[in-house]
């Protein structure tokens, strides 16, 4: 490794089924690296990213992670988006004693000394969403998801919450990650027949975008029967067409419309760097934040030794664009700011509810699961 730079790996897909969201991860990462380097780097040395595109292929994530750690002389990787890609990479990262910074919301129930988790856990997005839907739209909820671990675990927890509060899951269907229109039409036929009050969707990538288009074309009243999601954020809304998405709901820890100086600076910098018509989102913001957290830890550690960075980063307290964040050292996850947004005509979100402050991560759902005093939705 050169003594004049800090080499790190970047492993996000800029092609394949999750192109839109993972490109946002990549751009958030790139912006943070550029900001840090423009300010003089860390201890006078720039961060030098080595970036690969796995193309949404889990075997490529695995082989490229091995390449970064074994051949490119890298200890730190910023990467992965889906839980499937994280699970593919994790044994490689642990075997080579690397450190993965993982920025996506996910299903929880995982702990590794070789991972820093900066996305939301289910208690930081799903709990509030269940309460919001039941109180504002009705008791009958329909589930649709892609067939892998994150949607199935999210739906399992959502079902428990809905039923514990007197609601009913009227249908549950899973589709392939690369599902075509035929699969989506079956879902729409289910919704027409069952007449739920809201749809909870854990469909991701291109099928999710097409599902929203087809839902609008089918004539469903989005303000009375919305699709609620943990993932369908500003950039994908723009990709679909904002006029086709008004009324739909997103439960997330960040929206471009969050008020505050840190977010104003982030949005302005992001647009200045990548174009005035782009939007920030819950995909780009955690990726951006985790690089800054890493740089602060690196400054204290003075080396890229995995154990030192891992220890130092857990001490961080940082004013992120979403608000102040800090680590829960017991779980290696961040305290974050749950919010619920409703899509509007310009493709951004009106924040309909937000927690009064950052909420402790509970990736194992060990706390009282459905009695959240802070939920005043």
């Amino acid at each position: 490794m050169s003594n004049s730079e800090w080499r790190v790996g970047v492993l996000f897909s800029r092609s394949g089924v999750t192109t839109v969201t993972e490109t946002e991860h990549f751009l958030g990462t790139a912006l943070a690296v550029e900001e840090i380097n423009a300010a003089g780097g860390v201890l006078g040395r720039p961060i030098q990213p080595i970036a690969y595109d796995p193309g949404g292929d889990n075997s490529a994530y695995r082989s490229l992670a091995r390449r970064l750690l074994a051949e490119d002389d890298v200890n730190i990787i910023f990467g992965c988006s889906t839980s499937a890609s994280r699970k593919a990479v994790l044994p490689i990262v642990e075997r080579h004693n690397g450190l993965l910074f993982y920025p996506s919301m996910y299903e929880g129930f995982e702990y590794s000394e070789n991972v820093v988790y900066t996305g939301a856990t289910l208690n930081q997005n799903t709990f509030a969403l269940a309460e919001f839907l039941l109180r504002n739209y009705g008791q009958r909820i329909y589930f649709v998801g892609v067939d892998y671990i994150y949607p199935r675990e999210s739906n399992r927890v959502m079902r428990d919450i809905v039923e514990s509060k007197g609601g009913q899951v009227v249908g549950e269907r899973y589709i392939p990650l690369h599902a075509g229109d035929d699969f989506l039409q079956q879902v729409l036929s289910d919704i027409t027949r069952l007449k739920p009050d809201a749809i909870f969707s854990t469909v991701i990538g291109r099928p999710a975008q097409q599902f929203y288009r087809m839902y609008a074309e089918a004539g469903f009243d989005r303000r009375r029967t919305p699709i609620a999601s943990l993932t369908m954020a500003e950039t994908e809304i723009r990709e679909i067409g904002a006029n086709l998405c008004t009324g739909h709901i997103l439960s997330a820890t960040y929206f471009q419309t969050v008020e505050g100086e840190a977010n104003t600076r982030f949005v302005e910098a992001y647009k200045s760097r990548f174009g005035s018509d782009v939007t920030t989102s819950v995909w780009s913001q955690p990726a951006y934040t985790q690089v800054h957290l890493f740089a602060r830890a690196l400054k204290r550690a003075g080396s890229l030794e995995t154990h030192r960075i891992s220890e130092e980063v857990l001490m961080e307290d940082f004013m992120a664009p979403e608000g102040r964040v800090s680590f829960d050292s017991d779980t290696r996850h961040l305290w974050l700011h749950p919010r619920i947004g409703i899509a509007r005509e310009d493709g951004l979100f009106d924040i309909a509810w937000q927690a009064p402050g950052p909420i402790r991560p509970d990736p194992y759902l060990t706390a009282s699961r459905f009695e959240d005093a802070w939920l005043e939705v």
Side-chain angles (χ1 to χ4, degrees):
M1 181 182 297
S2 169
N3 290 326
S4 63
E5 63 190 23
W6 307 106
R7 290 160 63 91
V8 300
V10 178
L11 199 57
F12 295 119
S13 292
R14 285 159 282 156
S15 60
V17 69
T18 54
T19 298
V20 173
T21 53
E22 294 207 51
T23 295
E24 290 187 75
H25 279 326
F26 180 83
L27 296 180
T29 301
L31 178 62
V33 169
E34 290 175 4
E35 287 181 347
I36 293 161
N37 288 345
V42 179
L43 300 176
R45 296 160 59 183
I47 297 173
Q48 178 59 53
I50 300 172
Y52 294 120
D53 176 6
D57 182 337
N58 292 330
S59 63
Y61 278 100
R62 189 180 299 112
S63 63
L64 290 170
R66 185 181 294 109
R67 179 176 174 179
L68 283 166
L69 294 163
E71 299 177 24
D72 292 328
D73 200 20
V74 160
N75 291 342
I76 309 297
I77 297 176
F78 302 100
C80 301
S81 184
T82 68
S83 287
S85 64
R86 187 190 72 257
K87 293 289 189 183
V89 161
L90 184 56
I92 306 300
V93 173
E94 291 179 335
R95 188 174 305 136
H96 290 271
N97 193 31
L99 187 63
L100 173 67
F101 280 75
Y102 179 67
S104 288
M105 71 293 289
Y106 86 117
E107 70 281 352
F109 300 98
E110 182 178 288
Y111 176 92
S112 173
E113 295 283 350
N114 296 89
V115 182
V116 175
Y117 304 86
T118 62
T121 58
L122 294 179
N123 76 299
Q124 294 169 319
N125 54 22
T126 306
F127 284 21
L129 180 59
E131 188 80 21
F132 188 82
L133 293 178
L134 294 172
R135 290 194 186 186
N136 293 281
Y137 295 92
Q139 302 293 301
R140 304 176 73 256
I141 313 297
Y142 181 90
F143 290 180
V144 57
V146 170
D147 194 5
Y148 76 100
I149 185 171
Y150 176 63
R152 285 194 174 272
E153 283 297 298
S154 298
N155 287 354
R156 179 182 65 81
V157 172
M158 179 66 94
R159 176 185 284 274
D160 286 350
I161 303 170
V162 167
E163 292 180 348
S164 76
K165 295 179 177 296
Q168 178 187 4
V169 178
V170 298
E172 184 169 357
R173 184 182 285 266
Y174 293 91
I175 64 174
L177 179 59
H178 298 274
D181 289 2
D182 289 347
F183 284 98
L184 297 172
Q185 189 56 58
Q186 293 173 24
V187 173
L188 293 174
S189 296
D190 264 4
I191 293 169
T192 299
R193 177 174 57 86
L194 295 169
K195 297 180 172 58
D197 297 314
I199 294 88
F200 177 53
S201 172
T202 46
V203 182
I204 64 167
R206 290 173 184 161
Q209 296 166 25
Q210 184 63 0
F211 178 46
Y212 277 60
R213 293 187 191 101
M214 292 173 67
Y215 193 83
E217 291 166 0
F220 291 101
D221 186 340
R222 300 189 298 273
R223 298 191 183 277
R224 293 186 60 185
T225 310
I227 301 172
S229 170
L230 308 174
T231 59
M232 188 58 75
E234 290 89 338
T235 304
E236 282 191 292
I237 294 290
R238 178 170 170 263
E239 191 82 9
I240 298 162
N243 62 310
L244 303 179
C245 297
T246 52
H248 289 320
I249 297 168
L250 175 65
S251 181
T253 55
Y254 173 83
F255 294 93
Q256 182 172 300
T257 48
V258 167
E259 296 181 354
E261 291 183 10
N263 190 44
T264 298
R265 289 194 299 271
F266 172 57
V267 173
E268 289 177 351
Y270 197 88
K271 288 178 175 290
S272 175
R273 177 63 179 84
F274 303 117
S276 60
D277 60 338
V278 303
T279 53
T280 58
S281 76
V282 73
W283 299 98
S284 55
Q285 192 263 170
Y288 170 87
T289 294
Q290 70 178 14
V291 176
H292 279 284
L293 290 167
F294 157 75
R296 291 158 65 98
L298 176 59
K299 183 177 180 179
R300 289 202 308 275
S303 84
L304 287 172
E305 197 275 314
T306 301
H307 182 69
R308 292 287 307 280
I309 297 294
S310 183
E311 283 189 336
E312 293 293 348
V313 79
L314 296 182
M315 305 299 293
E316 285 301 330
D317 183 291
F318 178 65
M319 181 54 75
E322 74 167 68
R324 186 162 294 281
V325 299
S326 59
F327 279 98
D328 174 52
S329 59
D330 290 338
T331 65
R332 305 180 64 82
H333 293 69
L334 282 174
W335 288 64
L336 296 173
H337 299 255
R339 296 177 168 99
I340 292 174
I342 299 177
R344 63 195 198 193
E345 292 181 356
D346 63 357
L348 301 181
F349 287 84
D350 286 323
I351 298 175
W353 172 86
Q354 58 186 344
I359 299 301
R360 183 177 184 175
D362 185 14
Y364 324 115
L365 301 182
T366 55
S368 180
R369 294 176 62 182
F370 312 129
E371 297 178 1
D372 298 283
W374 54 271
L375 285 179
E376 297 180 358
V377 299

